[in-house]
Amino acid sequence: MSLSRRLFTLMLLLLLVFSFGIFFIQVNNTRDALAERQRVELSNLAQSLSLALVPHVELGDAASAEALIRATLDGGYVRDVRLESVAIPAPIAFDIERESLAPEWFREMIPIQVETVSRELPGGWASLGTISLTGEPAQGHDQLWALAKRLGLWLLLGGLFCLLIASVVMRRLLRPLDRLSNRLNEMETQRFDAPLEETSVAELKGITSAVNRLGQRLQTQFEAQAAQLARLQRQAEQDSVSGLGNRGYLNRAVDEWLSEPLGGSFVLLRAAHIEEVYHEQGYKGRDALIRGIAQTLEQCELEGEPIVAARLGNYDFGLLLPEVDEATLRTFLGELAGDIDSLLDANPLAETPYISCAIGAVRREPGMLRTQMYTIADATLLQAIEEGSEVGLAPEGGQARPRGEWRDVIETALDADNGLDFVAQPVLLNDGTELHRELFARLREGDELHRAGDFLPVIRHFRIGARFDLRALEWLAMHIDRIQAPRLALNLTRETFDDEASFVGLLNWLSAHPSVCQRLDIEVSESIALRYQERVKTLFRRARRLGARGGIDRFARELKELKYLSALRPDYVKIDQAFFKREDVDTELLQSLCMTAHQVESKVIVTRVESTADQARVMSVGADGYQGYVSPAVDVMERNTR
């Protein structure tokens, strides 16, 4: 229960106790006053009747005596009357019945004491008789009931008014405390670089100042850790002259790329004129030219997606390009070669520009290895140089299915109820518990099931990833009740974040399926998180409110500082095992990488772990869990039938 509710409840209880106390004190005091008044009136009536009845009793006129008694007691506080005299043959006794308007429970709860008063009739030296009067509480109860109703109504209205005023005042007074509480929550789930505004509440000024200092300290500490990590990563994976990644960085990037269901191309670019510039202008001219080439490569985008570039040697560069058709690829490589040549041209006034840049490109095919891809790209580059061409594109193996046919298969599967199927791979933490099971899609074509690596590049090529994501979520909603795994993870494509309509559609779908969200972990790649940071942050916030979790896949691929982590605060990050297995990577870098993720309370998961030895190594640097061949994927639907 919140503090405001506790204070409100306490005030309500105090008001109730206070009101009941006033009510009973007032009613009891009034009851005592009424009882005393009744006693006095009974005494006066008895005294008056004892004198007035003497003449009638002396004559023995019982009828006149009774008539006098009834006339005198009409409307009084008397219930029973009894007149006894030796002059009257029989005692005169009768009851005066009167119904009370007060309810019976009230009369029982607040009884009025009934008194009896007796007086003797004077007759000279001897008494003529005795008259006794017994009081009637009905009139007193009526007066008490009327008082109780007025008093209760006033206390009720007054109490409600007091509670309303107290609620407004408490909300106003507790607003700075609410801001403090929300701020502390934000420091767990959001960024903490904006200070809290000062409060006028004296008791909270110190706390507000302390929270601001703590937030600033945490922000500074995280930025320092992220900067240190970027420095260590640059030392291990960055070429000192160009600022691009080095050969180790490119090898890791290619290995991770080949392990995922992605399409694209590998390009080997050679700028042989760099050596001539070195001989003519020295190392300063050479380094300036290399930095110019690196800047050109860093600014390149292919269909809106950045490329991965690295320097491999004195005048060789390696590039990873996203999936495009052959015509677009050739056009892009030709323009890139022209841009590089414009930097290499030693004599810009010459009629015939000097051609120095040569490119060899190879498109990725299923089952291709890194060494095989490097060999084909190098052979294609040498062939282009021999032929005097700037761009050479290695011929495809011919085994790949045409993209047009693949698109028809994908469209048919997405429209069918059973067109999609999934396998789930457990992600385990160090203590053996399961974080979730990541879903990997399979496409059904008749009786054949295609793996994600076969069709996802085509989905991304034709920009239908948003539709595929929504169809996968709908499949999950239909089968979630039959899946025994406590949590499932789904990796979203870039197309879902490309336009506002697709992104809003995703948010609306999640809001409409809270039961699915409670068992769902949503993953995005680091490139998506960097490119669409605000949308990813909005998605993670909405998902957490619905019970889901957010994660970053392909973490630490970019040679950039990881400040975006403090804004997104993912529940976990996934790093490819190739990053941890390289011998040229310092252990300090790996430990700093885990520490940086832990500072924002994100778990570190290492993917593609192939053996227990790999598992032991990656766990030794501070990772929290692993995923890979040591815990193979299983068919979700087969598991349901067991």
Side-chain angles (χ1 to χ4, degrees):
M1 183 183 294
S2 64
L3 178 60
S4 59
R5 289 188 177 181
R6 291 187 180 187
L7 290 176
F8 186 83
T9 303
L10 178 61
M11 183 166 292
L12 177 61
L13 292 176
L14 290 176
L15 278 175
L16 287 176
V17 172
F18 181 73
S19 299
F20 279 121
I22 291 178
F23 181 86
F24 282 107
I25 290 174
Q26 185 65 29
V27 171
N28 284 330
N29 287 341
T30 304
R31 180 190 63 179
D32 295 341
L34 288 174
E36 179 63 21
R37 194 172 101 185
Q38 184 185 61
R39 187 186 63 78
V40 172
E41 289 198 8
L42 282 176
S43 179
N44 292 338
L45 282 173
Q47 186 65 29
S48 299
L49 284 174
S50 66
L51 297 176
L53 289 173
V54 170
H56 301 289
V57 173
E58 288 178 344
L59 297 174
D61 189 355
S64 298
E66 182 175 353
L68 177 62
I69 293 173
R70 289 185 180 276
T72 303
L73 300 181
D74 185 25
Y77 291 93
V78 180
R79 180 180 64 190
D80 298 327
V81 179
R82 184 176 182 84
L83 176 61
E84 296 179 348
S85 178
V86 294
I88 298 175
I92 299 174
F94 56 87
D95 298 332
I96 302 175
E97 295 183 0
R98 186 179 183 282
E99 282 292 331
S100 175
L101 300 177
E104 184 177 357
W105 61 266
F106 182 77
R107 298 197 302 268
E108 293 177 352
M109 185 174 64
I110 307 178
I112 296 179
Q113 186 176 0
V114 178
E115 295 192 9
T116 300
V117 178
S118 299
R119 292 291 185 271
E120 293 184 353
L121 278 63
W125 294 101
S127 175
L128 295 177
T130 303
I131 183 169
S132 299
L133 302 179
T134 302
E136 169 58 64
Q139 189 173 1
H141 276 133
D142 291 345
Q143 294 179 6
L144 282 178
W145 177 242
L147 172 67
K149 289 192 293 184
R150 291 195 303 271
L151 185 60
L153 180 61
W154 163 248
L155 291 175
L156 177 62
L157 295 178
L160 291 177
F161 181 74
C162 290
L163 287 176
L164 179 62
I165 297 298
S167 176
V168 174
V169 173
M170 280 194 301
R171 188 172 301 175
R172 185 179 183 85
L173 292 176
L174 291 176
R175 191 174 301 164
L177 191 59
D178 290 337
R179 287 199 299 266
L180 281 172
S181 177
N182 294 334
R183 186 59 173 168
L184 291 173
N185 289 333
E186 288 179 359
M187 290 171 68
E188 287 187 349
T189 58
Q190 306 299 334
R191 60 174 53 193
F192 33 71
D193 52 354
L196 272 173
E197 61 184 66
E198 293 296 331
T199 176
S200 59
V201 181
E203 290 80 358
L204 297 181
K205 286 184 178 180
I207 301 177
T208 302
S209 178
V211 169
N212 285 336
R213 290 196 303 270
L214 176 61
Q216 185 61 39
R217 188 180 305 166
L218 290 174
Q219 180 69 17
T220 303
Q221 183 180 1
F222 177 79
E223 290 178 355
Q225 182 70 29
Q228 180 190 13
L229 175 60
R231 177 179 58 81
L232 292 173
Q233 189 171 4
R234 282 193 293 267
Q235 289 178 355
E237 296 191 325
Q238 189 177 55
D239 177 68
S240 59
V241 178
S242 65
L244 299 175
N246 55 22
R247 180 179 292 273
Y249 167 76
L250 184 64
N251 289 342
R252 177 174 68 86
V254 171
D255 287 340
E256 295 177 8
W257 173 54
L258 293 175
S259 69
E260 296 167 355
L262 299 172
S265 305
F266 172 75
V267 174
L268 190 59
L269 185 150
R270 178 166 296 172
H273 195 53
I274 293 178
E275 190 70 19
E276 183 177 341
V277 172
Y278 172 68
H279 290 301
E280 294 179 357
Q281 303 179 20
Y283 71 91
K284 290 185 177 179
R286 181 200 62 184
D287 292 351
L289 182 57
I290 291 174
R291 285 191 291 269
I293 296 175
Q295 185 177 5
T296 300
L297 295 177
E298 286 180 334
Q299 294 174 351
C300 283
E301 287 188 352
L302 182 53
E303 291 193 347
E305 189 170 344
I307 68 174
V308 176
R311 185 184 178 206
L312 302 181
N314 290 334
Y315 40 81
D316 286 345
F317 298 84
L319 311 176
L320 284 182
L321 307 183
E323 175 68 20
V324 292
D325 57 61
E326 183 175 338
T328 303
L329 177 61
R330 285 186 177 274
T331 301
F332 171 79
L333 294 178
E335 293 175 353
L336 177 61
D339 293 339
I340 300 299
D341 283 338
S342 66
L343 296 174
L344 297 173
D345 191 359
N347 184 11
L349 299 179
E351 296 181 0
T352 304
Y354 183 85
I355 298 177
S356 172
C357 179
I359 292 176
V362 54
R363 299 175 67 87
R364 174 181 172 178
E365 296 185 21
M368 187 173 286
L369 302 176
R370 170 163 53 91
T371 54
Q372 180 184 4
M373 182 172 288
Y374 284 3
T375 301
I376 296 175
D378 186 62
T380 305
L381 173 65
L382 294 176
Q383 183 178 355
I385 294 175
E386 291 177 0
E387 295 175 354
S389 175
E390 283 191 309
V391 177
L393 182 60
E396 297 188 32
Q399 299 178 354
R401 194 172 192 171
R403 289 185 178 85
E405 292 184 15
W406 264 121
R407 182 168 189 173
D408 294 337
V409 173
I410 293 170
E411 295 281 358
T412 302
L414 293 180
D415 291 335
D417 293 336
N418 62 342
L420 287 183
D421 191 47
F422 289 87
V423 293
Q425 185 175 51
V427 176
L428 303 177
L429 301 177
N430 292 344
D431 58 3
T433 59
E434 187 175 281
L435 178 67
H436 59 230
R437 293 193 183 129
E438 183 175 357
L439 293 173
F440 295 97
R442 298 187 298 184
L443 196 71
R444 190 179 300 277
E445 182 184 9
D447 296 332
E448 185 178 2
L449 286 174
H450 300 287
R451 296 182 304 172
D454 297 332
F455 62 87
L456 275 182
V458 183
I459 287 178
R460 290 168 180 171
H461 174 76
F462 289 108
R463 307 299 183 195
I464 55 178
R467 182 184 172 193
F468 176 78
D469 289 343
L470 189 59
R471 185 69 183 87
L473 287 170
E474 291 173 350
W475 181 94
L476 186 60
M478 287 189 300
H479 299 90
I480 191 71
D481 293 334
R482 294 159 41 201
I483 298 176
Q484 298 177 5
R487 297 193 73 90
L488 299 167
L490 193 64
N491 206 314
L492 299 180
T493 64
R494 171 187 164 183
E495 286 73 32
T496 296
F497 300 87
D498 272 341
D499 63 275
E500 185 71 20
S502 299
F503 181 67
V504 172
L506 171 64
L507 296 181
N508 293 337
W509 191 95
L510 294 176
S511 299
H513 298 80
S515 60
V516 177
C517 290
Q518 292 176 1
R519 298 175 56 188
L520 181 63
D521 289 347
I522 299 174
E523 296 181 9
V524 297
S525 65
E526 186 178 58
S527 60
I528 294 176
L530 290 170
R531 190 178 185 90
Y532 305 99
Q533 182 170 322
E534 289 301 319
R535 288 185 176 177
V536 173
K537 179 165 55 173
T538 301
L539 173 63
F540 283 3
R541 286 180 177 177
R542 178 72 62 87
R544 289 190 184 100
R545 285 198 296 267
L546 296 171
R549 297 186 300 204
I552 302 296
D553 194 16
R554 305 168 207 159
F555 178 65
R557 284 195 177 182
E558 302 291 335
L559 290 175
K560 300 178 181 179
E561 294 185 5
L562 303 176
K563 293 182 179 180
Y564 74 92
L565 282 180
S566 64
L568 301 183
R569 311 285 293 189
D571 295 284
Y572 60 90
V573 296
K574 290 185 175 180
I575 309 176
D576 193 275
Q577 183 246 173
F579 193 102
F580 286 78
K581 287 189 69 175
R582 288 171 44 204
E583 298 297 334
D584 58 340
V585 175
D586 194 339
T587 303
E588 183 183 0
L589 171 60
L590 306 180
Q591 293 174 339
S592 297
L593 194 63
C594 295
M595 289 174 58
T596 302
H598 289 159
Q599 277 203 337
V600 292
E601 298 184 355
S602 299
K603 289 182 171 59
V604 179
I605 306 300
V606 181
T607 61
R608 290 203 306 134
V609 174
E610 301 174 356
S611 65
T612 55
D614 293 339
Q615 176 188 342
R617 183 172 189 269
V618 297
M619 296 308 119
S620 65
V621 297
D624 301 289
Y626 57 92
Q627 175 184 8
Y629 303 126
V630 293
S631 180
V634 296
D635 187 280
V636 177
M637 304 311 294
E638 285 182 3
R639 188 175 183 86
N640 291 339
T641 59
R642 292 177 184 174

